[in-house]
Amino acid sequence: MLDPQETEAQFEHRWWELMTEMRVRFGKKPDLNALLLLIGVQELGQGAGPFTKEQKQDLMHIATCRLFSISGYYELERVDQEGWPHYRLLQQLPFSNLKEQERMLKWHVLEYFDEQNAEE
């Protein structure tokens, strides 16, 4: 879950470090939707595409579910015959407004990339 010990300044610092890393890696600073698409593509594990608009939306959904699985809101239920992961909602998400949702999503993005870096 969100780290109660982390100050807003520390959180923002970690976020901008990730944005800088992504800018170096991809040549431009991504927005949150681009990061969700990137995570979805990574989770699918079938390469960079090409993907239809609908598939891109599905990839962003996969990313959102994967991210919220970090704190137990979703779990991987199965992977279908085409290799697409399907998640099951375990508990309702706690945020009440878009600002809270975005902050929680950003925190999970940071945790996701921390996990990825630890595995390398």
Side-chain angles (χ1 to χ4, degrees):
M1 201 70 219
L2 297 175
D3 182 357
Q5 304 299 322
E6 184 175 49
T7 67
E8 190 63 27
Q10 290 168 323
F11 172 80
E12 288 298 324
H13 178 75
R14 285 199 313 141
W15 181 253
W16 289 111
E17 280 184 334
L18 177 63
M19 292 299 97
T20 300
E21 181 183 322
M22 292 295 134
R23 185 181 306 122
V24 168
R25 188 169 166 190
F26 297 108
K28 63 181 181 177
K29 183 182 132 198
D31 62 12
L32 190 53
N33 287 334
L35 287 173
L36 290 175
L37 185 60
L38 172 65
I39 291 168
V41 169
Q42 281 185 245
E43 290 301 306
L44 181 61
Q46 296 179 4
F51 297 106
T52 65
K53 184 176 180 178
E54 184 177 314
Q55 287 173 320
K56 288 178 182 178
Q57 290 174 333
D58 291 344
L59 287 164
M60 292 171 71
H61 177 72
I62 288 168
T64 301
C65 293
R66 169 61 179 89
L67 291 172
F68 286 125
S69 74
I70 292 170
S71 52
Y73 292 100
Y74 284 89
E75 75 176 358
L76 181 62
E77 187 171 42
R78 66 184 174 87
V79 176
D80 67 24
Q81 291 178 334
E82 296 174 353
W84 287 72
H86 295 266
Y87 285 82
R88 178 172 49 138
L89 180 66
L90 298 176
Q91 59 180 318
Q92 287 301 118
L93 296 165
F95 37 77
S96 58
N97 62 50
L98 285 175
K99 185 174 174 122
E100 286 180 22
Q101 180 180 356
E102 182 177 307
R103 184 167 191 312
M104 193 169 177
L105 206 49
K106 285 180 174 180
W107 183 85
H108 283 86
V109 167
L110 289 167
E111 294 302 303
Y112 177 85
F113 283 105
D114 284 349
E115 282 180 12
Q116 298 301 305
N117 291 336
E119 291 174 6
E120 291 178 355

